[in-house]
Amino acid sequence: MSDPIAFASSTPSLSLPLLIAGQAQKEFFVNQALSLIDAMYARSVTSSRPTPPPSADEGECFLISAPAAGVWTAREDQIAVRIAGDWHFVEPTEGMQLFDRDKERILVFRSQWMPAIAPALPTGGTVIDTEARASLAALVQALLAIGVLGSPTP
């Protein structure tokens, strides 16, 4: 007979709680895990902000930006999820992607949350190909529209 499998107390990606033999209040852990899956499935956040909103709906998610304050202190870059009237926090993992609905852009976690930035449109040069410029401008506008690129910074 082989040795029994030793499970960790939570899953590696979203830190979902796992049930343990003889555990009391199993329904609490199952409900917490299901709430987290429900909140994170869409992989979107309402907005990025440093402090909790005055009111948040059940399951609503926020990306915690710096400088975090209040009950979100020291939780920069984490995702705050409203579950059962309290905040639950999810640590991002490398490569995780989210859509920020407020800023209408996709963010990717690579040691920190990063948006794709739109490149500058071509200008100047000795030979101007108006058709090529129009195509590049249309491509950049399309990528901006779907949130793949963020607005260029001034």
Side-chain angles (χ1 to χ4, degrees):
M1 184 167 147
S2 64
D3 293 331
I5 298 172
F7 287 102
S9 61
S10 62
T11 62
S13 294
L14 290 177
S15 296
L16 300 174
L18 295 174
L19 297 178
I20 299 169
Q23 182 175 16
Q25 297 181 332
K26 290 181 181 183
E27 66 279 359
F28 171 80
F29 293 92
V30 169
N31 290 341
Q32 180 187 20
L34 291 173
S35 295
L36 283 169
I37 291 169
D38 184 63
M40 296 305 298
Y41 179 74
R43 296 196 183 247
S44 67
V45 293
T46 300
S47 65
S48 299
R49 51 183 303 134
T51 58
S55 65
D57 293 331
E58 184 72 10
E60 201 167 8
C61 299
F62 296 90
L63 180 57
I64 303 173
S65 59
V71 295
W72 289 1
T73 298
R75 296 200 178 264
E76 287 87 355
D77 285 339
Q78 293 183 18
I79 301 157
V81 183
R82 192 71 167 174
I83 299 173
D86 203 2
W87 292 107
H88 184 87
F89 301 97
V90 177
E91 285 275 349
T93 57
E94 201 69 15
M96 182 183 271
Q97 296 180 11
L98 289 175
F99 183 75
D100 185 325
R101 292 190 302 260
D102 184 48
K103 293 185 179 169
E104 297 182 342
R105 65 180 181 183
I106 294 172
L107 301 168
V108 177
F109 189 79
R110 293 193 179 108
S111 300
Q112 64 182 17
W113 289 104
M114 301 169 48
I117 303 298
L121 294 175
T123 60
T126 57
V127 177
I128 297 174
D129 184 339
T130 55
E131 289 180 28
R133 288 178 190 264
S135 294
L136 286 172
L139 175 62
V140 168
Q141 289 302 315
L143 293 172
L144 284 167
I146 62 170
V148 172
L149 298 175
S151 301
T153 54

